[in-house]
Amino acid sequence: MEIEFSGAAREVTGSCHILRAAGKTVLLDCGMFQGKRKESAEKNKRLPVPVDEIDAVVLSHAHIDHAGRLPLLVARGYERTIWATSATRDLCALMLADSAQIQEKDAEYLSRKNKETVEPLYSMKDAVQTLEVMVGVPYHKWFEVVPGVVRAMYVDAGHILGSASVIVEATENGTTKRLVFSGDVGRSGLAIIRDPEPPTRVAADAVIMESTYGNRDHVPVDTARDDLGRIVRETAARGGKILIPAFAVGRVQEIVYDLHVLARAKRIPEIPIFIDSPLATDATTVFEMHPEVFDRSEALVQDVPKLFEFPLVRFTRDVAESKALNTLNGPAVIVAASGMAESGRILHHLAHGASDPRNTVLVVGFMAEHTLGRRIVERRPMIKVFGDEIPLRARIEILNGYSAHADRTELARWLDAVRGVSPSLREVWLVHGEPEAQDALTGALSAKGYRVSCPAPGERRAL
Ligand SMILES: [Zn+2]
Ligand SMILES: [Zn+2]
């Protein structure tokens, strides 16, 4: 078996690894590159391998940096199977359609600006066709990826709904080798979903592991919920609103869940909570469709049939309802996309609320450089929303505890568990991390006796 590292190699986005065995080719993920606009656009257009050489795709989870280029494969003629967990498939129905819409809008904008026709990376039709070749499979069951050559099994990665680590077994010339691909590893104790399960059902010969936070530790998950409660209480006491920019899929549901827990325990006052994002509303429905992947050890999951419905919460869908929130008097929580406050309805709420010192802007996710979210984190005195300069007088609070990625200690623990059942483990290949994080984790793992390397794009490793 041979692995070629195509995307998320020495960087975080564009997850894609090419597995070749006995003349067959399987892609692990086919994600979108994100970041600097022009550079990413160029990288996204180039397929990792010609479509007619790909025998199957095995997808780890629905995030766009892992699944975002699947419709491009289909647009270029890919008709074979894309394997995923059932919840991942259902989330992809929303996320790939959303991504297609963004591609189409971007192309329209560029066409107008450059006065020449710019084709979108892919269209809504391609996103819909992608769903037709996606097959949902349960955790813990082998499935035949390429019959007789490659089979695989998903275990829970505890990162987002439906996320998986993958055990891949390939047979070539009568010899069978096993590769473990971590996907994105979550954190223990995250709301709703189960804790990450290291793939220890069989022994592995090599591991491809993510390394997003290879150089830092997070604050405990429980602290984040306590802080959320405190921030809501303090802001409500000032008569202000809590504005939360959040990713529509995953983060919004966690926040709603935690507010539900806090409301039930009467740890927050009875103020209205608005989820002002159509995509988040749809994604919440997908969550409700998959109680089989919920963490049954959590009290709320055990006690309440509807995790996301309680008297204080409203899901606003249409634009009129959303606009009405601008004239709302008195304390409220407003959760809206986009996560980095670059687009979406959160912009309207910031335009109306950022200058009021009674309000709080609550940051619950990573804000990349050059985004409005980052300028809020930096507490700039003025921010630009819809072209207008607005004084940033609202209180800014930052909660890092909502990260969906394992920190360096959790990654090492995950890997130790795999090594514990793998006497023939030869190599660990780090992916999905900035060089700084990867180099730090390489040092830490080498000190524990692992043979670690961080493959660059295009590098190959034999197994
Ligand atoms: Zn992810
Ligand atoms: Zn990722």
Side-chain angles (χ1 to χ4, degrees):
M1 159 171 24
E2 183 198 73
I3 304 287
E4 181 184 334
F5 297 86
S6 173
R10 300 298 274 164
E11 64 179 318
V12 172
T13 66
S15 178
C16 184
H17 316 297
I18 306 159
L19 183 152
R20 295 186 179 92
K24 302 292 180 184
T25 301
V26 174
L27 297 190
L28 303 175
D29 288 349
C30 194
M32 190 94 92
F33 290 96
Q34 292 156 318
K36 286 199 185 116
R37 223 185 154 85
K38 210 166 166 208
E39 197 185 309
S40 312
E42 284 306 314
K43 282 157 94 175
N44 282 328
K45 269 188 246 166
R46 278 197 303 269
L47 283 186
V49 265
V51 157
D52 54 2
E53 286 176 25
I54 306 169
D55 294 283
V57 181
V58 178
L59 178 63
S60 66
H61 65 291
H63 274 151
I64 276 312
D65 62 314
H66 296 257
R69 283 195 296 161
L70 293 172
L72 180 64
L73 288 186
V74 172
R76 304 260 176 99
Y78 182 75
E79 288 177 331
R80 291 177 170 151
T81 304
I82 299 168
W83 300 93
T85 67
S86 304
T88 293
R89 186 185 181 280
D90 290 344
L91 281 180
C92 278
L94 298 177
M95 298 182 72
L96 297 181
D98 187 61
S99 174
Q101 210 173 25
I102 294 170
Q103 301 305 325
E104 288 177 347
K105 272 191 195 155
D106 276 4
E108 243 176 67
Y109 169 78
L110 287 173
S111 300
R112 267 201 316 273
K113 198 175 139 206
N114 302 348
K115 299 196 171 59
E116 58 175 25
T117 312
V118 176
E119 291 295 327
L121 189 62
Y122 50 80
S123 68
M124 189 60 86
K125 184 177 130 266
D126 303 319
V128 171
Q129 276 180 5
T130 304
L131 264 292
E132 287 170 10
V133 297
M134 279 183 94
V135 175
V137 289
Y139 290 108
H140 304 146
K141 291 240 182 347
W142 288 106
F143 51 96
E144 293 290 324
V145 178
V146 178
V149 180
V150 179
R151 64 175 191 158
M153 184 198 284
Y154 286 127
V155 300
D156 204 324
H159 167 65
I160 60 162
L161 192 84
S163 65
S165 302
V166 199
I167 304 166
V168 189
E169 197 178 84
T171 306
E172 196 169 35
N173 303 328
T175 312
T176 298
K177 298 271 180 180
R178 284 200 206 98
L179 169 77
V180 161
F181 170 41
S182 71
D184 286 0
V185 181
R187 307 187 60 194
S188 294
L190 284 182
I192 311 166
I193 56 173
R194 288 188 291 253
D195 292 350
E197 173 196 350
T200 53
R201 294 180 173 231
V202 288
D205 300 296
V207 176
I208 301 177
M209 187 173 78
E210 70 123 314
S211 51
T212 318
Y213 288 108
N215 57 348
R216 57 174 274 195
D217 284 322
H218 301 311
V219 298
V221 172
D222 302 352
T223 317
R225 184 181 295 162
D226 294 343
D227 284 339
L228 176 66
R230 171 186 58 78
I231 291 161
V232 173
R233 287 193 304 273
E234 288 174 2
T235 311
R238 294 196 300 271
K241 297 187 179 68
I242 302 100
L243 309 178
I244 311 179
F247 287 109
V249 180
R251 195 59 43 84
V252 167
Q253 289 74 24
E254 275 170 40
I255 297 288
V256 175
Y257 177 99
D258 275 5
L259 288 169
H260 191 173
V261 172
L262 292 165
R264 243 164 59 104
K266 304 215 179 312
R267 290 169 61 198
I268 51 171
E270 291 191 8
I271 61 172
I273 297 164
F274 298 96
I275 310 307
D276 191 23
S277 157
L279 182 60
T281 305
D282 290 341
T284 305
T285 312
V286 173
F287 272 69
E288 282 167 343
M289 282 160 55
H290 289 283
E292 80 281 3
V293 298
F294 290 175
D295 190 340
R296 316 265 8 139
S297 69
E298 292 172 25
L300 193 67
V301 174
Q302 285 172 11
D303 298 351
V304 182
K306 295 272 189 187
L307 290 184
F308 308 104
E309 282 176 28
F310 53 106
L312 304 178
V313 75
R314 305 256 178 293
F315 288 85
T316 52
R317 193 176 274 277
D318 54 72
V319 178
E321 258 182 305
S322 172
K323 282 195 174 144
L325 297 180
N326 292 333
T327 51
L328 184 84
N329 273 319
V333 178
I334 299 175
V335 188
S338 71
M340 298 194 196
E342 277 294 274
S343 57
R345 292 181 178 178
I346 191 66
L347 290 179
H348 292 276
H349 302 301
L350 289 170
H352 279 85
S355 59
D356 188 336
R358 292 174 301 173
N359 294 343
T360 299
V361 181
L362 174 55
V363 173
V364 291
F366 179 74
M367 299 294 186
E369 269 186 332
H370 313 299
T371 62
L372 176 57
R374 175 65 77 93
R375 288 188 270 278
I376 291 171
V377 167
E378 290 166 354
R379 297 180 167 85
R380 300 271 179 98
M382 302 291 283
I383 54 170
K384 206 176 206 175
V385 187
F386 297 129
D388 294 330
E389 293 280 347
I390 299 168
L392 182 59
R393 295 203 197 97
R395 190 173 294 193
I396 310 301
E397 296 263 13
I398 297 156
L399 292 186
N400 289 322
Y402 281 102
S403 171
H405 282 275
D407 60 23
R408 62 180 166 194
T409 306
E410 290 166 317
L411 285 173
R413 203 181 302 141
W414 185 94
L415 189 59
D416 287 346
V418 176
R419 177 163 70 173
V421 298
S422 307
S424 59
L425 180 64
R426 283 178 38 207
E427 300 223 36
V428 178
W429 301 310
L430 297 183
V431 297
H432 201 289
E434 301 287 349
E436 209 179 305
Q438 292 203 316
D439 296 344
L441 191 59
T442 301
L445 294 177
S446 302
K448 296 178 77 161
Y450 288 99
R451 251 183 81 175
V452 191
S453 62
C454 307
E459 272 186 36
R460 296 175 184 219
R461 297 281 197 278
L463 182 62

